[in-house]
Amino acid sequence: QVQLVESGGGLVQAGGSLRLSCAASGTIFSINTMRWYRQAPGKQRELVARIRSGGNTNYADSVKGRFMISRDNAKNTMFLQMNRLKPEDTAVYYCNADVNGGTYWGQGTQVTVSS
């Protein structure tokens, strides 16, 4: 009914940048908070950033000052601008959103940062 699809992942050298996108589609009545999570092999999935419908944002300490979350409500799309990437940023990045009173996940996109 609701689908979230991430794009923009890839391989980048330390210090580089990537921009991730998450597009929501399907039968959508409302989207409230949207979030980016990431999970490295053998580690817990962690919240990277979140953005409320009105634009309020929060970031994990590990990415604060380097990543920026944004959204285009008219297009039901969320973005994550990742700058000054570090090897420890390597993970699968997942889109998460509260849609129509429920919570949905994307399939994930791989981000690999080489040293």
Side-chain angles (χ1 to χ4, degrees):
Q1 193 75 351
V2 176
Q3 299 85 40
L4 303 178
V5 179
E6 304 97 334
S7 61
L11 175 64
V12 65
Q13 292 186 0
S17 298
L18 285 173
R19 182 176 181 262
L20 306 183
S21 299
C22 170
S25 62
T27 304
I28 298 174
F29 301 106
S30 65
I31 303 180
N32 296 314
T33 301
M34 304 184 78
R35 308 168 188 87
W36 286 102
Y37 284 80
R38 68 186 181 187
Q39 187 167 27
K43 297 184 178 180
Q44 292 286 319
R45 188 171 298 186
E46 65 174 339
L47 178 64
V48 176
R50 70 180 182 188
I51 183 167
R52 298 202 294 162
S53 59
N56 301 88
T57 59
N58 296 94
Y59 298 91
D61 288 341
S62 59
V63 308
K64 196 172 297 181
R66 300 188 297 120
F67 291 10
M68 292 182 292
I69 189 171
S70 61
R71 63 193 287 172
D72 185 336
N73 289 333
K75 297 182 178 180
N76 293 330
T77 302
M78 175 178 64
F79 307 94
L80 185 68
Q81 179 66 47
M82 305 185 294
N83 299 320
R84 303 192 304 280
L85 283 160
K86 304 175 179 179
E88 51 262 45
D89 295 319
T90 296
V92 177
Y93 284 71
Y94 295 92
C95 176
N96 172 271
D98 298 335
V99 184
N100 301 341
T103 300
Y104 296 85
W105 292 89
Q107 81 289 346
T109 185
Q110 177 71 47
V111 172
T112 303
V113 184
S114 62
S115 60

